[in-house]
Amino acid sequence: MSLGIAARIARRELRGGLRGFRVFLACLALGIAAIAAVGTVRESIEAGLQREGATLLGGDAEVQFTYRFAEPEERAFLDSIATEVAEVVDFRSMAVVGEGDERDRGLTQVKAVDGVYPIYGAVTLAPEMTLAEALDGTGGLPGAVMDPVLIDRLGLSVGETFRLGTQSFVLSAALEREPDDGGGGFELGPRTLVRTSALSESGLLVPGTLYETEYRLRVPPGADLDALEAQADAVLDETGFRWRDRRNGAPGVSEFVDRLSAFLVLVGLAGLAVGGVGVAAAVRAHLDGKTGTIAVLKTLGAEGRTIFEVYLIQVGVLALVGVVLGVSLGAGLPLLFSPVIAAQLPVPADFGLHAAPLAQAALYGLLAAAIFTLWPLARTREVRAAALFRDIGGLRVTPHPGTLAVIAGLVVLLVGLAAWLSGLPELTLWAAAGLSAAFVVLLGAAWLVRRVARRLARARVVQGRSALRLALGAVGGPGGEATSVVLSLGLGLSVLAAIGQIDTNLRSAISRDLPEVAPAFFMVDIQPDQIDGFRERLDTDPAVSRVETAPMLRGIITRINDRPADEVAGDHWVLQGDRGVTYSDRPGDDTTITAGEWWPEAYDGPPQISFAAEEAAELGVSLGDTLTINILGRDITGEITSFREVDFSTAGIGFVLAMNPAALRGAPHTYISTIYAEPQAEAAILRDISDTYPNITAIRVRDAIDRVSEVLAGVAAAVTYGAMATLVTGAVVLIGAAAAGERARTYEAAILKTVGAGRRRILTSFALRSALLGAAAGVVAVAAGGGAGWAVSRFVMETEFRFAPLSALAIVVGGVLLTLAAGLVFAWRPLAARPASILRARE
Amino acid sequence: MTDTILSFADARLTLDGNAGRVDILRGITLDVARGETLGLVGPSGSGKSSLLMLMGGLERATGGSVTVLGRDLTALGEDALARFRRDHMGVVFQSFHLVPTMTALENVATPLELAGHRDAFDRARAELETVGLSARAGHYPSQLSGGEQQRVALARAAAPRPDILLADEPTGNLDGATGQAIMDLLFGLRDRHGSTLILVTHAPELADRCDRVVRLEDGRIAPADMARAAE
């Protein structure tokens, strides 16, 4: 009953137009659009990955072995469940060009294939030819194709030769595209593609070297992949194999996209919070203008509930309009720009309308709208009819505790929903806590700014500086824009400042601090019979300050205390795939044992394990627990007898797992080495080692750091774009506040003109107040962003935090410029208006 | 014996303003009979409008009691007061206070809708006809003259057939002729519906048309009117 009347009155009331609600709609729509767009792009990529799953994987399913080929019986099993099996060997090596002093070398990720590869899709080569033709080679040499980047780096041309290990190849073509690219994740070296049979004389695939074999299967149409996986589990049980199938053909990409988009949605939610400030301000301004109407309705007998419903319906309808606008934008923009986005993506994407992310964005938008409008809406209940004939302060009262409880409930619901939907509950909760803290800090800062401005306006120092005194008075006076400007701009700038500080610190940690402590080279695949010669070359080189070597095998932790490892410790990174395992009679000189004891020298009893202390705590394993490690298909079960500190941040040798030598006796293995050397000696070391031992792969750490920096730069750019969307919303709120204050400024300008102030002085005063507010928002944002940056550096990245002054300065200057621009745009009309008409209209 | 519809006993109104506490009404004792027309006169700031607002439950007495139709208004909450007004009172203001986004017809129909009358619009139309504005039913307040706006306000106040009609200087914003027409309408409506009419006015000719006139001075009933006030 009451709702029906409320709806009718609300409809009549809406005839007044939506002018005051432009900011409301813009803020809500922008926030929702950003979240919907991120979700749409993510779903499009997911759909693309789904569609192209088999091509990206290179088959309907894949069985992967580490460090070895399939045994004949395993191969027979694979042949029995598939109609076609392609064998692919993947490893890192050095491609070497030229002879003598002209020799050049580059790290490459080699993919060795058989005649069946590729099962799905096609390899694109330049000049155009089939892969079989290219790999056949010419002049008695096997052929190879190579990523154009590496071809350029090595100065090669098609038809010229290069070596992998001791085997020469003729470069038949440039590898423009491989169909199963993008599924493999992060690679350090560009691709070289050869035929496996051509590697038999290369000395590269000998026991102990690091390589993976992937058996890509084409299964009969309609085959049940779950059943096949179960069958593989049963037959290949505990051989350290890994199963993947087309349903998740590129798990690395998929997970990366998921994580990044979840993070961007969180940034989007921050944008929605900034927009919420604008939404609340717009509703408050609208309702302030409605005080008279509300009082009339109360005089006519409308109860508080009816009044609340009238404006709830109005705001609800507008929120729905905002949601529809936002969702349309969020769905439409990715579609519109799909060709541009697709060109930037390394994986296929199916752009289209995806309901789930749009619904998610709409839900977030509605919840945010409710959270930010309920407070001002609830205050309509408190308007008294007496407001008609007496100024009793409009709507400045705290709403009923019940309303506050509902708002708190909605906040919990929104955060809970975000935590659940993002799949990053911890990060979401931290972000929510940070945002809430920023809100409180900014509200406090706004209060402080007003107070200080009010005090300064009366101070002796500003006497005689009328423009400054007027500006300070306006900032500190009642009904000013201080709170909404500091809050909205401050929030947007805080997000940007936090990202700026984190990004600067992360980059400097990687590009400045890491090279100081990191080795010059990582060398892998050093055969046991090469290690003495290898060390001799380096130990006699005065430019080499330190060489560390350690034997290395690769193993997969399959069981913890005889229970499947993932059952005990979930999906911890240590359990994901294979890990390096070393052995040693004694702990290294730098090793710190945190608990237990290292085995005695020449110990020959049951296998013992020394485990990385931090990872052990994360996995929840204790001294005395047993681990089963699958090495080359063989299970070795050992007892954890000590924990060690392992520092991965220095890029030195760090093994999670170390065992007593006897436990790994007989297992083929190679050595890994880190070389700390003067930069100018690096080229000679690389030349000598790779000439003497062509099978050894050298990874220049500086190159690897550059590659990591590149990836991080991409991520930082994506996050910065997200944060910019937040800032744009902040700017809209700012413009809204400036527009809302235009009437008051016009009146003020009229009075000032009447008492003799010139336009220049008035304009200076307006500019000063904008700049003061912008600077205040910027300073608070830098403090909040610095705090967030410190927390992330200290607790997440565990690095030392250094305040980045340039980023901070940019934030403060940006804040000042934004408020100045918004303030001055809305200063022209007040300046141009004639005082008489303005003052008469007020009478 | 006269039927008392409204009774004030030592009613007081004190407000906290920026300039400190202000005693607006300082102990008003007054009875109004059903069907009576009462004029409230006095200089500006004497508390006439505030007294009227206490009668309408638009303002809450800070001392004493205000009893209307047997209900103590000081004991009612905001919503209960709103319902009480809806069922028993009509209020006319000097500044009309029409809802600017509603047409004349909708303004008149609103209190009837709030009271749950299904025929709200038919009755509102009839009421507008009574005040001679049926041709302007679809017009918004901004499209009406001051006199027309006040006629709409009169129709809105009278449409629910209230027991009490409260009018706060209803002609104060109108020229003489228009004011006269409005007063004729107001008294006509009062006669038709048998409502009790209480009006605040500065105009002696308007006060003369009332059954009784009470004069306020500095928040109190003027001594000369004291005896008559309790009649």
Side-chain angles (χ1 to χ4, degrees):
Chain A
M1 172 68 194
S2 146
L3 206 61
I5 296 165
R8 284 199 294 279
I9 296 176
R11 184 169 50 81
R12 289 170 202 158
E13 274 275 85
L14 275 176
R15 288 177 196 149
L18 300 178
R19 198 160 171 266
F21 279 105
R22 279 187 211 148
V23 170
F24 176 104
L25 290 174
C27 287
L28 199 57
L30 270 174
I32 294 170
I35 296 174
V38 168
T40 298
V41 173
R42 182 196 61 208
E43 286 287 314
S44 303
I45 294 175
E46 293 288 345
L49 292 178
Q50 278 284 326
R51 175 173 54 86
E52 295 290 324
T55 311
L56 285 168
L57 182 66
D60 296 313
E62 178 192 274
V63 168
Q64 190 187 81
F65 295 103
T66 301
Y67 222 25
R68 68 184 184 92
F69 286 86
E71 297 295 334
E73 59 275 20
E74 290 168 339
R75 177 65 199 240
F77 163 71
L78 297 175
D79 287 334
S80 75
I81 60 170
T83 53
E84 218 174 0
V85 179
E87 183 187 74
V88 174
V89 188
D90 201 306
F91 60 100
R92 264 189 292 272
S93 187
M94 305 298 287
V96 184
V97 180
E99 295 294 336
D101 288 344
E102 299 294 307
R103 200 171 289 185
D104 202 357
R105 43 191 70 72
L107 181 69
T108 178
Q109 191 76 27
V110 181
K111 181 189 266 181
V113 299
D114 57 11
V116 181
Y117 173 88
I119 290 182
Y120 291 111
V123 173
T124 313
L125 301 174
E128 217 170 292
M129 62 176 77
T130 65
L131 182 63
E133 283 166 3
L135 300 187
D136 280 345
T138 51
L141 285 179
V145 294
M146 199 180 258
D147 188 316
V149 172
L150 187 58
I151 294 178
D152 271 1
R153 197 178 296 162
L154 295 174
L156 267 173
S157 304
V158 169
E160 293 184 339
T161 61
F162 68 95
R163 286 195 308 282
L164 291 174
T166 53
Q167 177 67 52
S168 291
F169 291 88
V170 59
L171 180 68
S172 307
L175 175 60
E176 299 274 307
R177 193 178 157 271
E178 43 180 336
D180 48 346
D181 186 25
F186 180 78
E187 301 290 5
L188 284 173
R191 175 73 76 199
T192 303
L193 221 156
V194 298
R195 198 167 275 158
T196 311
S197 53
L199 290 170
S200 55
E201 299 303 318
S202 67
L204 293 174
L205 295 179
V206 294
T209 44
L210 302 174
Y211 63 93
E212 281 173 352
T213 53
E214 294 150 7
Y215 294 86
R216 275 84 181 269
L217 316 179
R218 184 201 289 274
V219 300
D224 180 353
L225 289 169
D226 280 328
L228 289 179
E229 187 179 356
Q231 217 178 324
D233 270 336
V235 175
L236 305 174
D237 183 30
E238 300 191 353
T239 56
F241 84 103
R242 267 206 293 179
W243 172 278
R244 277 161 59 185
D245 59 49
R246 62 170 180 248
R247 291 170 298 186
N248 192 5
V253 177
S254 184
E255 193 172 332
F256 177 74
V257 167
D258 249 16
R259 289 279 167 120
L260 184 60
S261 57
F263 185 68
L264 286 176
V265 165
L266 287 184
V267 175
L269 281 174
L272 209 48
V274 175
V277 177
V279 164
V283 171
R284 201 173 300 123
H286 174 69
L287 294 176
D288 274 347
K290 292 292 178 188
T291 307
T293 301
I294 295 170
V296 168
L297 289 171
K298 285 217 162 176
T299 306
L300 297 178
E303 295 171 36
R305 188 179 149 189
T306 310
I307 303 281
F308 175 72
E309 285 168 359
V310 167
Y311 293 100
L312 180 70
I313 290 169
Q314 281 189 5
V315 169
V317 168
L318 285 162
L320 281 176
V321 173
V323 166
V324 171
L325 268 175
V327 164
S328 312
L329 269 175
L333 286 178
L335 279 180
L336 194 65
F337 291 104
S338 59
V340 182
I341 302 171
Q344 300 290 319
L345 291 173
V347 288
D350 269 358
F351 283 95
L353 285 177
H354 299 280
L358 300 184
Q360 189 180 334
L363 195 57
Y364 284 146
L366 283 175
L367 278 171
I371 288 166
F372 283 98
T373 56
L374 271 180
W375 185 308
L377 277 175
R379 297 198 296 199
T380 57
R381 300 180 80 132
E382 317 301 331
V383 172
R384 289 167 52 203
L388 277 183
F389 56 94
R390 182 172 293 130
D391 181 11
I392 48 176
L395 300 170
R396 310 271 171 251
V397 281
T398 309
H400 191 267
T403 310
L404 294 177
V406 171
I407 294 172
L410 288 172
V411 171
V412 171
L413 183 64
L414 178 61
V415 173
L417 204 64
W420 177 51
L421 290 174
S422 69
L424 303 171
E426 206 175 332
L427 183 65
T428 309
L429 293 179
W430 276 111
L435 210 56
S436 310
F439 244 102
V440 173
V441 168
L442 286 165
L443 273 176
W447 177 83
L448 198 68
V449 164
R450 291 179 65 166
R451 226 182 139 75
V452 169
R454 207 174 313 154
R455 172 96 26 122
L456 278 177
R458 295 181 200 138
R460 194 164 290 185
V461 280
V462 299
Q463 279 179 10
R465 297 181 169 89
S466 58
L468 181 60
R469 194 176 57 71
L470 284 169
L472 287 167
V475 169
E481 304 144 23
T483 307
S484 111
V485 168
V486 171
L487 203 55
S488 58
L489 185 64
L491 262 181
L493 289 176
S494 293
V495 176
L496 215 58
I499 290 169
Q501 294 290 336
I502 294 167
D503 183 41
T504 311
N505 268 277
L506 188 59
R507 280 185 205 220
S508 69
I510 288 172
S511 61
R512 187 190 62 212
D513 304 344
L514 192 55
E516 282 176 18
V517 293
F521 288 107
F522 256 119
M523 300 233 174
V524 296
D525 295 337
I526 309 164
Q527 292 296 326
D529 60 0
Q530 297 171 332
I531 191 73
D532 291 338
F534 174 85
R535 285 217 66 131
E536 200 184 317
R537 158 67 183 84
L538 297 166
D539 288 345
T540 53
D541 189 337
V544 175
S545 56
R546 187 150 59 108
V547 181
E548 288 176 357
T549 55
M552 181 168 80
L553 300 89
R554 305 291 295 178
I556 299 171
I557 300 173
T558 54
R559 303 179 85 77
I560 298 173
N561 291 330
D562 213 26
R563 282 176 56 208
D566 52 355
E567 254 181 55
V568 180
D571 57 354
H572 191 277
W573 66 268
V574 168
L575 307 179
Q576 308 258 308
D578 56 298
R579 299 263 77 81
V581 185
T582 190
Y583 61 83
S584 175
D585 252 341
R586 287 180 305 278
D589 294 339
D590 305 337
T591 306
T592 309
I593 307 282
T594 58
E597 277 182 27
W598 198 270
W599 41 86
E601 248 178 77
Y603 168 76
D604 201 14
Q608 291 194 13
I609 298 168
S610 178
F611 204 86
E614 192 177 329
E615 284 66 29
E618 288 164 7
L619 289 169
V621 295
S622 323
L623 290 178
D625 285 350
T626 62
L627 299 180
T628 303
I629 302 149
N630 186 285
I631 295 173
L632 286 168
R634 186 166 72 89
D635 278 342
I636 300 172
T637 301
E639 181 188 336
I640 301 175
T641 51
S642 65
F643 290 130
R644 283 168 296 127
E645 265 180 18
V646 178
D647 183 3
F648 292 102
S649 68
T650 58
I653 296 183
F655 285 98
V656 173
L657 286 158
M659 299 185 81
N660 61 306
L664 300 169
R665 189 179 295 143
H669 63 272
T670 54
Y671 281 79
I672 179 174
S673 174
T674 50
I675 301 163
Y676 297 81
E678 305 286 334
Q680 60 273 22
E682 286 178 11
I685 293 170
L686 182 61
R687 186 190 60 223
D688 290 354
I689 297 289
S690 102
D691 282 357
T692 319
Y693 311 109
N695 62 298
I696 293 179
T697 303
I699 299 161
R700 196 191 288 262
V701 173
R702 223 173 292 277
D703 293 345
I705 288 172
D706 286 349
R707 188 73 188 88
V708 172
S709 299
E710 269 172 39
V711 173
L712 280 175
V715 173
V719 176
T720 305
Y721 290 139
M724 289 304 282
T726 306
L727 196 64
V728 169
T729 313
V732 171
V733 179
L734 202 65
I735 291 166
E742 194 184 30
R743 238 184 112 200
R745 273 196 293 275
T746 307
Y747 183 55
E748 192 184 327
I751 294 174
L752 290 173
K753 282 183 192 172
T754 311
V755 297
R759 283 199 286 187
R760 194 169 151 194
R761 189 180 300 246
I762 297 170
L763 182 65
T764 310
S765 155
F766 287 171
L768 269 173
R769 83 173 66 167
S770 296
L772 281 174
L773 285 175
V779 168
V780 178
V782 165
W790 171 81
V792 171
S793 298
R794 172 84 183 73
F795 300 110
V796 182
M797 299 177 343
E798 296 181 6
T799 59
E800 189 195 344
F801 174 72
R802 279 190 221 170
F803 185 72
L806 269 182
S807 154
L809 187 69
I811 296 291
V812 177
V813 172
V816 170
L817 288 179
L818 262 175
T819 38
L820 258 182
L824 292 182
V825 163
F826 288 93
W828 297 122
R829 203 180 298 176
L831 282 177
R834 287 181 181 281
S837 59
I838 303 300
L839 296 177
R840 205 177 300 123
R842 279 269 178 146
E843 276 173 5
Chain B
M1 187 183 125
T2 51
D3 179 9
T4 301
I5 196 166
L6 191 151
S7 178
F8 278 62
D10 195 26
R12 291 165 187 279
L13 180 64
T14 304
L15 294 177
D16 290 316
N18 291 333
R21 300 194 115 204
V22 185
D23 291 323
I24 309 234
L25 296 173
R26 305 158 181 250
I28 302 286
T29 298
L30 173 72
D31 285 339
V32 181
R34 186 182 286 277
E36 187 181 6
T37 52
L38 175 72
L40 295 175
V41 298
S44 293
S46 60
K48 306 182 298 291
S49 292
S50 295
L51 183 60
L52 196 79
M53 294 308 137
L54 280 193
M55 292 174 177
L58 298 170
E59 192 77 272
R60 192 185 298 274
T62 49
S65 71
V66 179
T67 309
V68 181
L69 288 159
R71 300 283 295 273
D72 181 5
L73 296 195
T74 58
L76 298 182
E78 275 289 309
D79 281 344
L81 284 171
R83 282 194 296 273
F84 189 78
R85 276 193 299 273
R86 183 187 73 194
D87 297 336
H88 303 290
M89 290 181 181
V91 188
V92 182
F93 296 95
Q94 180 179 356
S95 310
F96 326 132
H97 287 317
L98 298 178
V99 178
T101 53
M102 293 188 195
T103 62
L105 182 66
E106 286 165 350
N107 261 291
V108 178
T110 298
L112 296 165
E113 283 183 294
L114 289 169
H117 294 291
R118 288 182 172 278
D119 58 349
F121 277 81
D122 292 339
R123 285 177 59 173
R125 214 167 270 116
E127 210 63 44
L128 274 180
E129 203 172 335
T130 310
V131 297
L133 276 182
S134 44
R136 312 283 269 168
H139 287 65
Y140 288 97
S142 58
Q143 298 167 314
L144 300 173
S145 69
E148 286 172 328
Q149 287 190 53
Q150 193 61 302
R151 276 148 73 188
V152 175
L154 276 183
R156 185 176 70 181
R161 310 275 189 271
D163 296 299
I164 303 170
L165 260 175
L166 302 172
D168 186 10
E169 298 196 48
T171 58
N173 276 356
L174 305 172
D175 62 65
T178 313
Q180 184 59 44
I182 289 294
M183 286 324 298
D184 291 344
L185 268 174
L186 180 62
F187 278 87
L189 285 170
R190 179 251 163 217
D191 292 341
R192 192 171 309 118
H193 302 320
S195 309
T196 303
L197 172 64
I198 302 166
L199 61 90
V200 170
T201 184
H202 280 293
E205 65 279 12
L206 199 51
D208 287 346
R209 292 177 69 168
C210 296
D211 298 335
R212 182 160 60 115
V213 175
V214 170
R215 182 176 182 78
L216 268 82
E217 285 173 0
D218 197 20
R220 294 190 182 90
I221 293 175
D225 293 325
M226 288 288 264
R228 288 208 298 158
E231 273 176 10

